Amino acid sequence: MTTTPDTRPENRVLIFDTTLRDGEQSPGATMTHAEKLEIAELLDEMGVDIIEAGFPIASEGDFKAVSEIARQSRNATICGLARANYKDIDRCWEAVKHARSPRIHTFIGTSPLHRAIPNLTQDEMAQRIHDTVTHARNLCDNVQWSPMDATRTEWDYLARVVEIAIKAGATTINIPDTVGYTAPVESADLIRRLIAEVPGADEIIFATHCHNDLGMATANSLAAVEGGARQIECTINGLGERAGNTALEEVVMALKVRHDILPWDTGVDTRKIMNISRRVATVSGFPVQFNKAIVGKNAFAHESGIHQDGMLKNAETFEIMRPEDVGLAGTSLPLGKHSGRAALRAKLRELGFEMADNQLNDTFVRFKDLADRKKEVYDDDLIALVRQNEAVSDRVRLKALKVICGTEGPQHAEMTLTIDDAEKSVDATGDGPVDATFNAIKALFPHEARLQLYQVAAVTEGTDAQATVSVRLEEDGRIATGQSADTDTVVASAKAYINAVNRLLVRREKTAPNADVKGVGYMDAGE
Ligand code: KIV
Ligand code: ZN
């Protein structure tokens, strides 16, 4: 199969989304196969140029996901990650080759610290880069190469290996700031200097890949574009290891809103941002912080009197972009207990949920139940309602829960679970209602998983608001995150915990975690 490298106008910046690879790599953000396919489809629809769909050698699951995303892709180039060895690259090609436009992305750590791990001399590593990029290019016309930890690599060595990769056939050179160490002025200078001094650099595309350890990822990415980079690597909501990656929505909106000083275009339909942001938050189990730029709950909320007064007179007094630009509907009226099926269907459609009749009937029953408990059902309530039911596996289900709590401890949780279709009940105690509830689950479904995170957020305002609860469990290095929403915080907690347990069961069935591959081990998969 032959493909052509991306050739776009000078003022076009390619958006390379790595939510499904670098984002999914962050502890606890594991997505199911179906969720990955869905996110890839949303990315393709929103106009992302390249989707890094996974790390095919990492597991059978990653391989299948990348292959299927490649098959279903419509416009985007589909890319897979491979370490600097033939086995990884071959496996990657086997997965991406089904795409209309495939890309192999191969990388190796080039800084002194990273060179020390495989214990290669500079010359040995240079040879390895030549051989592996040549191998990748013999398989695919579209090859991206990354010197991992580029921003801490000696300039002479970086320039040397970039030249080798270009000569071996790389069509994109990505310069990662792997540990989020660089500053904007350096980011721009590094790309500028590489383009000016490395032979052949003007024939290929430079990419920027920034991590957010010092909160400078977006600024560094935009500075790199000023320096000549024409591909930005990013993730939805900035998902990613540690402090995450450059957030797609931030760079895209910065380029749109400040086009006067950042005169580059992307192909992204910004009105699709909010929907995909919410979806990624749900499936990854990483809620978006309230004050996150562009996609945070408060990004368009105006609390203070002065701000509200200004907003009523002229929205531009305190808003540099319109909520509709990122796909947030304007003011929308809440539904209530008298709203009918047609109103619910219309509202769900507006929120991007198209439902078959039987699905709608089921949602309607749960909507009525919620409307009985809550005066007004807002858009966010409905989104939470629809999504909480998308259980990954139904092996363990909550049948009933009654909690007795108050000033006199210990608190009690009487619980019935359905486990593999058999009902089991228990009365457990604990230090508070949530602890008692989690103890009840452990008594009914014994497991060794450790609770790593428990987080509660209100979906909307008011004391009758639904609580969204996130729970993260860890068992033998496997991490699973569960989420749920309910007007009763303890019920939401129980459901979120059970959701995490079910996800853990799915993970148990997959191959054992390969820490070397998911982490930064990169030489020894054998070739
Ligand atoms: O951060 C990094 O260096 C990476 C590489 C694999 C490109 O994610
Ligand atoms: Zn990265």
Side-chain angles (χ1 to χ4, degrees):
M1 182 183 292
T2 54
T3 52
T4 40
D6 300 292
T7 45
R8 311 273 165 130
E10 212 359 56
N11 64 344
R12 177 78 149 77
V13 173
L14 300 172
I15 297 296
F16 175 110
D17 182 277
T18 182
T19 307
L20 297 173
R21 199 278 299 168
D22 213 333
E24 213 244 354
Q25 223 165 284
S26 57
T30 313
M31 300 175 200
T32 66
H33 183 77
E35 288 165 351
K36 287 184 190 172
L37 260 52
E38 183 199 337
I39 298 297
E41 199 176 343
L42 292 176
L43 289 167
D44 205 347
E45 259 172 39
M46 89 187 289
V48 158
D49 299 284
I50 304 114
I51 298 172
E52 187 161 53
F55 195 174
I57 196 92
S59 71
E60 203 43 45
D62 264 44
F63 179 80
K64 279 200 191 122
V66 178
S67 311
E68 219 160 306
I69 289 169
R71 282 199 180 88
Q72 78 169 19
S73 61
R74 273 173 285 168
N75 301 309
T77 293
I78 304 300
C79 174
L81 186 69
R83 293 168 298 183
N85 65 66
Y86 296 167
K87 196 171 164 191
D88 270 43
I89 292 169
D90 290 345
R91 190 78 174 143
C92 179
W93 173 242
E94 280 309 306
V96 296
K97 71 178 184 191
H98 307 289
R100 183 193 57 82
S101 168
R103 174 182 293 191
I104 296 174
H105 176 194
T106 180
F107 75 101
I108 195 164
T110 51
S111 65
L113 279 167
H114 284 267
R115 287 200 305 267
I117 298 169
N119 198 15
L120 291 183
T121 64
Q122 289 198 357
D123 288 346
E124 285 165 345
M125 184 168 280
Q127 186 63 46
R128 169 81 64 134
I129 292 164
H130 170 269
D131 294 348
T132 49
V133 174
T134 305
H135 183 71
R137 187 57 205 263
N138 283 337
L139 296 169
C140 182
D141 285 352
N142 192 338
V143 172
Q144 170 165 327
W145 180 73
S146 296
M148 187 164 74
D149 207 14
T151 52
R152 293 191 301 169
T153 301
E154 310 91 318
W155 162 257
D156 288 346
Y157 192 58
L158 182 65
R160 176 180 166 200
V161 288
V162 165
E163 184 179 349
I164 289 172
I166 294 174
K167 286 214 175 101
T171 44
T172 299
I173 300 287
N174 175 38
I175 301 298
D177 182 29
T178 306
V179 290
Y181 179 72
T182 208
V185 65
E186 295 170 316
S187 181
D189 282 352
L190 185 56
I191 302 283
R192 200 173 283 124
R193 193 165 172 204
L194 285 166
I195 294 175
E197 296 185 27
V198 174
D202 50 349
E203 311 265 303
I204 55 102
I205 289 181
F206 273 90
T208 172
H209 176 114
C210 299
H211 282 264
N212 203 30
D213 299 66
L214 292 173
M216 294 196 281
T218 296
N220 285 334
S221 301
L222 293 169
V225 172
E226 298 211 65
R230 288 294 172 269
Q231 175 179 301
I232 299 176
E233 307 210 353
C234 47
T235 60
I236 302 293
N237 300 341
L239 194 67
E241 289 191 84
R242 308 187 309 279
N245 292 64
T246 297
L248 179 145
E249 59 278 5
E250 292 178 9
V251 281
V252 168
M253 288 311 290
L255 289 171
K256 186 170 175 151
V257 174
R258 294 311 313 273
H259 209 260
D260 52 337
I261 54 153
L262 302 168
W264 295 282
D265 301 319
T266 74
V268 170
D269 178 351
T270 62
R271 290 163 308 171
K272 307 234 186 249
I273 283 177
M274 217 53 220
N275 183 40
I276 193 164
S277 160
R278 285 171 168 160
R279 198 64 192 125
V280 167
T282 304
V283 300
S284 69
F286 276 58
V288 177
Q289 79 195 48
F290 280 16
N291 57 343
K292 174 118 181 110
I294 320 292
V295 290
K297 210 169 159 45
N298 288 358
F300 293 92
H302 300 273
E303 187 74 33
S304 81
I306 293 179
H307 284 217
Q308 285 184 352
D309 186 48
M311 284 294 297
L312 289 173
K313 292 188 174 119
N314 179 356
E316 283 181 29
T317 45
F318 289 104
E319 261 177 19
I320 55 168
M321 55 200 149
R322 289 173 309 149
E324 303 88 70
D325 293 343
V326 296
L328 259 181
T331 41
S332 64
L333 296 176
L335 299 182
K337 68 175 175 188
H338 300 298
S339 308
R341 214 172 290 256
L344 178 67
R345 187 191 280 280
K347 174 63 80 182
L348 288 171
R349 206 167 263 159
E350 192 187 306
L351 295 173
F353 298 105
E354 203 57 62
M355 287 190 180
D357 285 349
N358 56 343
Q359 253 181 315
L360 182 74
N361 288 344
D362 173 58
T363 309
F364 189 66
V365 172
R366 289 187 297 114
F367 158 70
K368 281 286 179 188
D369 174 51
L370 180 63
D372 272 341
R373 289 183 283 143
K374 197 173 182 299
K375 235 182 14 225
E376 291 176 320
V377 179
Y378 293 94
D379 292 0
D380 284 341
D381 287 319
L382 279 179
I383 292 167
L385 184 83
V386 173
R387 287 180 177 161
Q388 65 167 289
N389 232 37
E390 299 169 334
V392 281
S393 156
D394 283 328
R395 269 195 68 192
V396 185
R397 276 169 289 147
L398 179 67
K399 177 88 198 302
L401 174 64
K402 187 169 165 193
V403 175
I404 302 165
C405 64
T407 49
E408 303 293 312
Q411 285 69 27
H412 281 258
E414 291 169 29
M415 177 180 282
T416 304
L417 290 184
T418 310
I419 302 169
D420 293 330
D421 294 328
E423 276 182 23
K424 285 187 181 175
S425 301
V426 78
D427 182 349
T429 55
D431 190 3
V434 174
D435 191 47
T437 300
F438 289 179
N439 286 342
I441 299 171
K442 274 183 244 160
L444 294 171
F445 189 78
H447 55 274
E448 295 299 317
R450 222 171 41 82
L451 181 68
Q452 273 198 338
L453 176 134
Y454 170 71
Q455 193 170 298
V456 185
V459 174
T460 51
E461 286 79 32
T463 49
D464 64 349
Q466 289 198 90
T468 295
V469 177
S470 302
V471 165
R472 192 198 293 168
L473 299 176
E474 187 267 335
E475 181 196 69
D476 293 337
R478 297 183 190 90
I479 294 176
T481 311
Q483 265 197 350
S484 195
D486 199 283
T487 48
D488 185 320
T489 308
V490 184
V491 171
S493 304
K495 287 184 184 166
Y497 193 106
I498 291 167
N499 186 225
V501 167
N502 280 317
R503 284 174 180 262
L504 207 53
L505 297 178
V506 174
R507 296 223 63 202
R508 268 192 208 161
E509 282 163 21
K510 290 187 182 174
T511 47
N514 185 341
D516 176 47
V517 174
K518 280 287 188 187
V520 290
Y522 32 103
M523 301 297 289
D524 46 4
E527 55 258 39

